[in-house]
Each structure stands twice: as structure tokens, then as C-alpha cells.
């Protein structure tokens, strides 16, 4: 590698977030202004992610909350499995954030003419993506 | 051939590495991806970068 950069991932692209969430079995609900986070309690948000097909007050939801600088945060409660969310997104929503980053990186790289040759989860849990042109 | 390798950890950090023919182009290639992904927290240009930038043979 002749150039290496380190990036702190920030969620800005809701289309990419929607695509990543869908692959994990979640549904993006634009403009849902409250999300259920624990035992039926509600918290404000700008959009929400729900488990596709889930019904009942026990199903957890992730609040997508707009922050400064056009970025979004993910608000949710993983306690007790987060109403099924931990199984989908991981204990810290890492699968969702990793999936989001893959969506964003692939879209941007494809605009530059690259194609994906490898997209895998390593044994250490990190996602490794290789693109070539 | 130009090659990009991106590693995304479980803490919300990504490392982007690029191999390419011309060193200056390496930065152009990754800049758009870096900006789309988030905030750059670090950067390193290896000896290869400067070698190719100055038109010397790689390897």
C-alpha cells in the first residue's frame, strides 16, 4: 500500500443506511419521530429502524437521530438483547455500522470505476473489502 | 492495476489502503471515499508513495 488513511465513520447517507439495514433484516422508517427502546418506552428520533415483520411492544427499534454537521447517531438499548436487535446488528450495532461503511465505500469506489473482488468478515470480526480497477 | 483495501472494525473505524501506479493519484482515489465515510483521523504515505510520485520504478 502506498497511501493509508484512517477514518472515524460518520453516518450521513440515509440511502446507504437503509440498504445496510435491509441486508440485516431491518426496515428504515423515514420520519418516524419516536422509537421504542425498552419495555415499550419511547424516545424521540428523526427516523427509525425496525425489525422487518416484527410486531408487538417487545420488538426493539433503533432511533436515527440527526446531530450537528449533518451526521446521524443511532440510539437504542441493547439490554436483554434489545428486543431482538442485538441478534441483527450486534451488541454495539457494529454489524450495522460496518454494513453502512461497506455500502458507502462501494458506491463511491464504483463511481471511480472500481469493482469489488472481495467482501468478507475476518476471524477478528473486522470487515475487509477489496476493490480493483 | 489499482487496488483499494478497506478494513472496518467493530468500533466504527475504517482503514483505507491504496496501491496505484502514480502516487498523487492515490490520494485522489481515496479522498472521495474518505470524505463519504466520515472524518479522517490519520494518514500515512509509505516510501512507495514517494517513489512512484517521483517517477521511480516501484519494488
Amino acid at each position: 500500500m502506498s497511501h493509508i488513511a484512517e477514518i472515524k465513520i460518520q453516518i450521513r447517507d440515509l440511502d446507504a443506511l437503509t440498504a445496510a439495514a435491509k441486508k440485516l433484516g431491518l426496515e428504515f422508517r423515514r420520519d418516524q419521530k419516536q422509537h421504542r427502546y425498552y419495555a415499550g418506552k419511547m424516545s424521540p428520533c428523526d427516523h427509525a429502524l425496525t425489525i422487518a415483520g416484527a410486531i408487538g411492544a417487545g420488538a426493539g427499534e433503533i432511533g436515527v437521530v440527526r446531530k450537528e454537521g449533518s451526521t446521524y447517531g443511532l440510539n437504542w438499548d441493547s439490554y436483554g438483547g434489545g428486543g431482538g436487535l442485538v441478534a441483527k446488528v450486534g451488541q454495539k450495532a457494529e454489524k450495522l455500522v460496518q454494513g453502512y461503511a461497506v455500502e458507502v465505500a462501494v458506491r463511491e469506489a464504483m463511481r471511480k470505476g472500481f469493482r469489488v473482488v472481495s467482501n468478507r468478515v475476518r476471524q477478528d470480526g473486522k470487515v475487509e473489502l477489496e476493490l480493483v480497477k | 492495476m489499482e487496488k483499494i483495501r478497506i478494513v472496518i472494525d467493530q468500533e466504527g473505524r475504517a482503514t483505507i489502503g491504496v496501491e496505484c501506479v502514480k502516487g498523487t493519484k492515490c490520494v485522489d482515489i481515496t479522498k472521495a471515499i474518505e470524505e463519504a465515510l466520515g472524518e479522517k483521523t490519520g494518514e500515512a504515505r509509505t516510501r512507495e508513495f514517494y517513489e512512484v510520485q517521483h517517477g521511480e520504478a516501484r519494488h
Side-chain angles (χ1 to χ4, degrees), chain A residues 1-12 92 94 97-98 100-102 104-106 108-109 112 114-115 117 122 124-133, chain B residues 1-19 26 29-30 32-46 48-49:
Chain A
M1 293 290 153
S2 53
H3 174 239
I4 297 166
E6 292 173 358
I7 308 293
K8 181 184 174 190
I9 296 165
Q10 295 174 325
I11 295 173
R12 297 194 196 114
K92 296 180 287 187
E94 65 273 14
V97 175
Q98 287 173 317
Y100 167 81
V102 167
V104 168
V106 168
E108 206 57 54
K112 297 271 185 186
F114 284 82
R115 63 184 171 84
V117 291
R122 304 193 322 198
D124 61 6
K126 294 177 182 177
V127 172
E128 187 173 302
L129 185 63
E130 284 190 7
L131 305 113
V132 297
K133 181 164 76 172
Chain B
M1 180 185 289
E2 295 168 345
K3 185 175 181 181
I4 300 172
R5 189 165 74 102
I6 303 172
V7 177
I8 305 149
D9 71 15
Q10 299 95 315
E11 307 298 325
R13 294 181 298 250
T15 303
I16 305 173
V18 60
E19 284 177 13
C26 289
I29 289 167
T30 54
I33 300 173
E34 291 164 15
E35 289 177 353
L37 279 175
E39 179 186 359
K40 188 189 287 186
T41 56
E43 186 174 26
R45 293 175 181 180
T46 64
E48 282 178 300
F49 175 89

Side-chain angles (χ1 to χ4, degrees), chain A residues 11-30 48-50 52 64 74 88-89 95-107 110 119:
Chain A
I11 295 173
R12 297 194 196 114
D13 183 338
L14 294 181
D15 288 338
L17 181 65
T18 301
K22 189 176 180 183
K23 288 179 180 173
L24 295 172
L26 302 180
E27 193 174 287
F28 183 80
R29 294 192 177 168
R30 190 173 291 274
L49 292 165
T50 65
V64 181
L74 302 174
K88 299 282 187 188
V89 303
K95 292 179 190 173
L96 181 57
V97 175
Q98 287 173 317
Y100 167 81
V102 167
E103 289 289 333
V104 168
V106 168
R107 288 171 189 212
M110 287 178 76
N119 178 7

Side-chain angles (χ1 to χ4, degrees), chain A residues 51-98:
Chain A
I51 298 171
I55 51 172
E61 296 178 335
I62 297 174
V64 181
V65 179
R66 189 167 188 134
K67 302 192 296 187
E68 288 181 21
S70 301
T71 64
Y72 291 90
L74 302 174
N75 289 357
W76 66 298
D77 189 346
S78 63
Y79 182 76
L85 286 170
V86 170
K88 299 282 187 188
V89 303
Q91 193 66 38
K92 296 180 287 187
E94 65 273 14
K95 292 179 190 173
L96 181 57
V97 175
Q98 287 173 317

